[in-house]
Each structure stands twice: as structure tokens, then as C-alpha cells.
Amino acid sequence: MAKIQREVFDISVSLKDIWEILSDSEREIFREKAVIHYFKRNQMIYCEGERPTDLMCLLKGKVKISKEGVGGRNQIIRMIRPVQYFGYRAYFAGEDYLTGASAFESSAVCFVPMKVVVALLHQNNALAYFFIRHLSIDLGIADERTVSLTQKHIRGRLAESLVFLLDSYGLEEDGATINIYLSREDLANLSNMTASNAIRTLSNFVMERIITLDGKKIKIIDEERLRKVSKLG
Amino acid sequence: MAKIQREVFDISVSLKDIWEILSDSEREIFREKAVIHYFKRNQMIYCEGERPTDLMCLLKGKVKISKEGVGGRNQIIRMIRPVQYFGYRAYFAGEDYLTGASAFESSAVCFVPMKVVVALLHQNNALAYFFIRHLSIDLGIADERTVSLTQKHIRGRLAESLVFLLDSYGLEEDGATINIYLSREDLANLSNMTASNAIRTLSNFVMERIITLDGKKIKIIDEERLRKVSKLG
DNA sequence: TTACTTTTGTGCTATAAAACATAGTTATAA
DNA sequence: TTATAACTATGTTTTATAGCACAAAAGTAA
């Protein structure tokens, strides 16, 4: 299944948005300390309750950040795509991880010790501002999400998840299939509902000719309609 | 009602956590640019959709940050107490406000132009780190909240709100009354439920001798039990 | 292959919470 | 002070969604 293991990455290209910010000497430090780890499908990258140590950057693959809820129910908090950074919030807050991260498919993740990052950050304001900006954006998303997940009905929440997946991971070559395959359960955990309701609502969308299904593949037939349901219904 | 208007504040004392971080010259700039505005009960401080311009610090009073939901329903995203900073997220993210802020009771708010803050922040790493830390903490709270609001049942959500109010605003001199008075509607908006359900659930708590009610005053009788309901129920 | 686990799909039931209706109560303003 | 509006309280009805049971299908391993 996982043939892309041990692929070689050029950090200066992969981590380009941080790279642009660093001086030559800082780049040297970064290159020296960065380590790439490879994860298989469903492998945990870090666990809820662990002490955070590294800044992580997803180079290849797909990662979900999730959280145990009350009745053992799981909630997907956000999804990571290349090239996004994660794992730094808890360290900055001085907390243990509140969430867990796991690979959705074979993934390559670049690790840089947070100690190194913080040291650089104290001498490089642009890097500090990079994190301020990203944390601010993520906090806004979290606020929006809270309202969506609590106030929208099932159809709206599922449609919103599909739109999110579409916008985040794009389409395959056929120009219709969402370029990520989730289990119905994961889709439910992303949309705050039970798996049976995710399944039921997906079939409704099929009947209404908004999507078609082929196993885990989801084809978007009527994107406009889907976005409308996401907004209003 | 509002006798505390036009109270005089010493910025070096009120904004102490930022003050400690600044150099003498930076303090001078801050003192020069800071303006204190006074708000009456229920007055808006900023509105959803507006362009953010200032860092705000609540010097006195109580403020709620909220968001319009789908069916005109309102969701309280967070509550501010003295001395907490707010209003900066949207500016850092380069967005218009996603939320609105309004005074809960007569409040004094210190405004500092974000342009000034950002300028200082680019020359003072400790200040940058101050925002990184606070954004990180708030993002963690937002993630926790999403799970609580979506997965806990009504009793658990209401109890959690009461615990939050207790921990945030403390008790009055009698050692039992929560030191903030919200309408049942606000309490509902904070706990993601309708006003009638907030009222009903409050009466249940009274019957179970967890709290007593006297209009908007809420007395905590059995804090341990309340925390238990917040966690498990 | 065969056996076995996991995932998906559907129908039915139970229930938590919203929606509605109405009345009493407390603020607020004229 | 009275009139009016806003808030609080409670009972009833409706509905969205969870929970459960079971069957079919698809992966996975021996």
C-alpha cells in the first residue's frame, strides 16, 4: 500500500514559507535540527496528554487532529494537508497536548524541536509574526466551527464537511472526485454526528443528485447546491 | 445605575503584564497612544464584520464576545474580565471581525491602535511571545469548548457554564453568589441551548440543592456536585 | 480458498432538546 | 403612578438525532 516511504525532501523547498523568513545562519540551524519521520495509515503521530516537543510540518500525506469526547465519541478538530504546520500550539501554551494527531494515509512529517524554534523566534520577529498570524487564523476557524457544529442541522454540517474537504484537498483528475477518502465514521466525527446519520444523509444527497458515491469515493455533482446546503441547511 | 463612569486608570498598573515587557521608550509610546473608552450596559464595543483597528484591554466591567448563528441564534464565544486583552485576533489574521463584543455592565476599555502594537511587536520579541502564548491558550480553550458544546448534554453544558462563571468572576462577599448576573437568555447563549431549557435546567439544579436562585443571582450550594455534573453529566 | 473482522447500509425505537403557547413577574419609561 | 415592554417560568407538542439491531458488503489474514 505505502510505496512512498522514505521519499527524500528538500527542506528549503518544503518548508518554504518559514524558509523565506530565516537568515542564512538560522537556515543552517533549521536544516541541522530538522528530522523527517514517516507514518503509516492510521499511525498516531502524537497522543492526547503527551508533552509536546516538536514543531511538525506535514510534507506529504494527510493528517487528522482529533479529541476524545465524553461518551468515547471522537471529534475531528482539524485536518492537515501539505504543507501545513501543527503540534506547536500546546507547547506555546505551556500545556500537554489536548488533541491527538494521526496519519490518514502514508505521511511524511518534518520535526523540528520546539526549543530550537523558540530560540530562533526570539531573535527573528518575522518568525514570531508567522506564528501569531497562523494562530490567529486558526482561532478564527475554531470560533466559526463552534457555531457551525452547534447550530447547523445534520445536512448543513455534512455539506460543510464535504465543502471543507473539497476546498482543502481538491479534486482528482476526473474533476469531480474529492481527493481524500474518509470512512463514514471519520466523516461523522468531522461533522459531529453518528456514523449511521452520516451514511443516511450521504444517501439523501445522492438521491438529490448533489453527489454520487462509489465506496469511499465521493463525486461532487452539484457544487453550487452543496455550498447552498452547507450555508443554509 | 452606572456611577463608575470616567474613573481614572493608571495604565502602567492596569496593563501590567504588557508593561513589564516594554522598554522605557516603548512604554512612552504606549502611554501616548492609549485611550480609555467607557461603555454602558449592553453597548456594543465592536460589531461582526467591522474592520479591527485597536488592541483592547478591559480595565473594569464585564464583556461578552459573541457571534450570530444560523437562525438568528446568538452564541457567546468567550467572556472577558479585567484585565484581559481582546480584539487583536482578527487584525493579526488580516480579517474583519468574525465576532461582536458588547459590555455586560458599565465597562472601561483601554484602546491602543494595532498599528502601534505591531510596530512595537516587531522590535520587541517578548511582546510577540506574549501574543503567541495568549493565542495558543485561547485556541486550546476553543478546541475544548467545541467538544463540550457538541457532545455534553444540557445539564453538563449548563453546569460547565456555571463553573466557568464561578472560576472567571469569583464569588461575592457572601462566599456563595456568583459575581456576575446574566439573563437566562445569555446563560443559554453561553451554554448552547434555548432560554426555556436554561430556565428549566436551573430549576432542576435548585431542586437537587446544587444552587439556589434569587432573580439573576445564582448561589452555589454544592460546588463539588456542580463540577461533577459539568464533567460527567 | 476460507474464515473473520471491519465497514457500510437500513429500518425501527427512544429520547433529548427545540418550538410553541401562555401566564406571571419584574424592569423601564411616560 | 400607570402603562408597556422585557424577562422568567412552566406545561405541551413536535422533531431532529442518537441508539440499537441486523444484514450485506468489503477488506484482511491464515
Side-chain angles (χ1 to χ4, degrees):
Chain A
M1 178 215 305
K3 289 175 207 144
I4 46 140
Q5 300 233 341
R6 311 298 117 138
E7 191 176 332
V8 176
F9 295 93
D10 179 349
I11 288 184
S12 67
V13 175
S14 304
L15 276 59
K16 125 169 169 305
D17 37 358
I18 279 194
W19 209 252
E20 286 168 352
I21 289 172
L22 302 178
S23 71
D24 282 347
S25 63
E26 288 166 347
R27 284 176 184 172
E28 201 43 54
I29 297 171
F30 227 83
R31 198 190 285 277
E32 208 171 274
K33 303 291 185 183
V35 182
I36 297 177
H37 290 280
Y38 299 86
F39 296 89
K40 289 185 283 203
R41 188 174 145 70
N42 287 327
Q43 198 182 341
M44 289 301 285
I45 298 172
Y46 64 76
C47 296
E48 216 168 321
E50 271 178 23
R51 181 134 303 163
T53 56
D54 291 86
L55 169 67
M56 296 163 195
C57 178
L58 183 62
L59 301 180
K60 181 141 197 167
K62 297 177 179 85
V63 165
K64 62 175 168 185
I65 310 286
S66 54
K67 214 170 141 42
E68 267 310 298
V70 265
R73 231 168 104 197
N74 206 272
Q75 166 98 46
I76 296 181
I77 297 288
R78 56 189 140 257
M79 310 249 322
I80 310 293
R81 61 186 144 95
V83 180
Q84 288 185 326
Y85 296 83
F86 63 103
Y88 54 87
R89 188 212 65 81
Y91 187 95
F92 283 137
E95 300 164 358
D96 291 341
Y97 282 122
L98 297 175
T99 56
S102 60
F104 224 63
E105 50 181 61
S106 314
S107 297
V109 181
C110 177
F111 283 61
V112 182
M114 278 302 289
K115 280 192 181 171
V116 173
V117 174
V118 169
L120 290 184
L121 184 143
H122 275 120
Q123 64 180 56
N124 184 330
N125 281 92
L127 186 60
Y129 205 77
F130 174 87
F131 285 110
I132 287 178
R133 220 178 55 245
H134 278 272
L135 283 163
S136 294
I137 290 169
D138 280 351
L139 182 54
I141 292 171
D143 287 347
E144 289 280 351
R145 206 169 143 69
T146 299
V147 174
S148 285
L149 289 183
T150 55
Q151 298 197 1
K152 281 185 188 172
H153 284 184
I154 269 201
R155 288 170 56 83
R157 299 204 302 272
L158 186 67
E160 180 171 304
S161 291
L162 295 179
V163 167
F164 165 75
L165 293 174
L166 172 63
D167 290 341
S168 300
Y169 299 98
L171 296 172
E172 296 186 348
E173 296 74 39
D174 66 0
T177 306
I178 299 179
N179 193 20
I180 182 174
Y181 303 169
L182 294 89
S183 68
R184 303 293 191 255
E185 172 119 38
D186 274 327
L187 198 54
N189 291 342
L190 184 64
S191 316
N192 183 35
M193 64 186 66
T194 54
S196 10
N197 277 325
I199 291 166
R200 238 184 290 269
T201 311
L202 279 178
S203 341
N204 288 340
F205 287 172
V206 171
M207 288 195 297
E208 296 166 42
R209 302 185 195 289
I210 298 174
I211 59 171
T212 62
L213 294 174
D214 173 14
K216 289 189 168 51
K217 286 187 191 184
I218 301 173
K219 269 192 195 175
I220 309 286
I221 304 299
D222 191 342
E223 186 179 330
E224 196 186 347
R225 187 98 179 283
L226 185 67
R227 287 188 189 273
K228 207 185 241 169
V229 175
S230 162
K231 268 222 187 88
L232 308 171
Chain B
M1 177 216 305
K3 290 173 206 143
I4 47 143
Q5 299 232 342
R6 310 298 116 140
E7 190 175 333
V8 176
F9 295 92
D10 179 348
I11 289 185
S12 68
V13 175
S14 304
L15 276 58
K16 128 168 167 307
D17 38 357
I18 279 193
W19 209 250
E20 286 169 354
I21 288 172
L22 302 178
S23 71
D24 282 347
S25 63
E26 288 166 347
R27 284 176 185 171
E28 202 42 57
I29 297 171
F30 228 82
R31 198 191 285 279
E32 209 172 273
K33 302 292 185 182
V35 181
I36 297 177
H37 290 280
Y38 300 86
F39 296 89
K40 290 185 283 205
R41 188 173 143 71
N42 287 329
Q43 199 181 340
M44 289 298 287
I45 298 172
Y46 65 77
C47 297
E48 216 167 319
E50 271 178 23
R51 181 132 304 163
T53 56
D54 291 86
L55 169 67
M56 297 164 193
C57 178
L58 183 62
L59 302 179
K60 181 143 196 167
K62 296 178 180 82
V63 166
K64 63 176 168 184
I65 310 286
S66 54
K67 212 170 143 42
E68 266 312 297
V70 264
R73 231 170 105 198
N74 205 273
Q75 165 100 46
I76 298 181
I77 298 288
R78 55 190 139 255
M79 309 250 323
I80 310 292
R81 62 186 144 94
V83 181
Q84 287 184 327
Y85 297 83
F86 62 104
Y88 54 88
R89 188 211 65 81
Y91 187 94
F92 283 138
E95 299 164 359
D96 291 342
Y97 282 122
L98 296 176
T99 56
S102 61
F104 226 36
E105 50 181 62
S106 314
S107 298
V109 181
C110 178
F111 282 61
V112 181
M114 278 302 289
K115 280 191 181 174
V116 174
V117 174
V118 169
L120 291 184
L121 185 143
H122 275 121
Q123 63 181 58
N124 184 329
N125 280 93
L127 186 60
Y129 205 76
F130 173 88
F131 285 109
I132 288 178
R133 220 177 55 244
H134 279 272
L135 284 163
S136 294
I137 290 169
D138 280 351
L139 183 53
I141 291 171
D143 286 347
E144 290 278 353
R145 207 171 144 66
T146 299
V147 175
S148 284
L149 289 183
T150 55
Q151 298 198 0
K152 281 185 187 171
H153 283 184
I154 269 202
R155 287 168 57 83
R157 299 204 302 272
L158 186 67
E160 180 172 304
S161 291
L162 295 179
V163 167
F164 165 75
L165 293 173
L166 172 63
D167 291 341
S168 300
Y169 298 99
L171 295 172
E172 296 186 348
E173 297 73 39
D174 67 359
T177 306
I178 298 179
N179 192 21
I180 182 174
Y181 304 169
L182 294 88
S183 68
R184 302 293 191 258
E185 171 118 38
D186 274 327
L187 197 53
N189 291 343
L190 185 63
S191 315
N192 182 36
M193 62 185 68
T194 55
S196 8
N197 277 325
I199 291 165
R200 237 185 288 271
T201 311
L202 279 176
S203 341
N204 288 341
F205 287 172
V206 171
M207 289 195 296
E208 297 167 41
R209 302 184 194 291
I210 297 175
I211 60 170
T212 62
L213 294 173
D214 173 16
K216 288 189 168 52
K217 287 188 191 184
I218 301 173
K219 269 193 194 174
I220 309 286
I221 304 299
D222 191 343
E223 186 179 329
E224 195 186 347
R225 187 97 179 283
L226 185 67
R227 287 188 189 273
K228 208 184 239 168
V229 175
S230 162
K231 268 221 187 89
L232 308 172

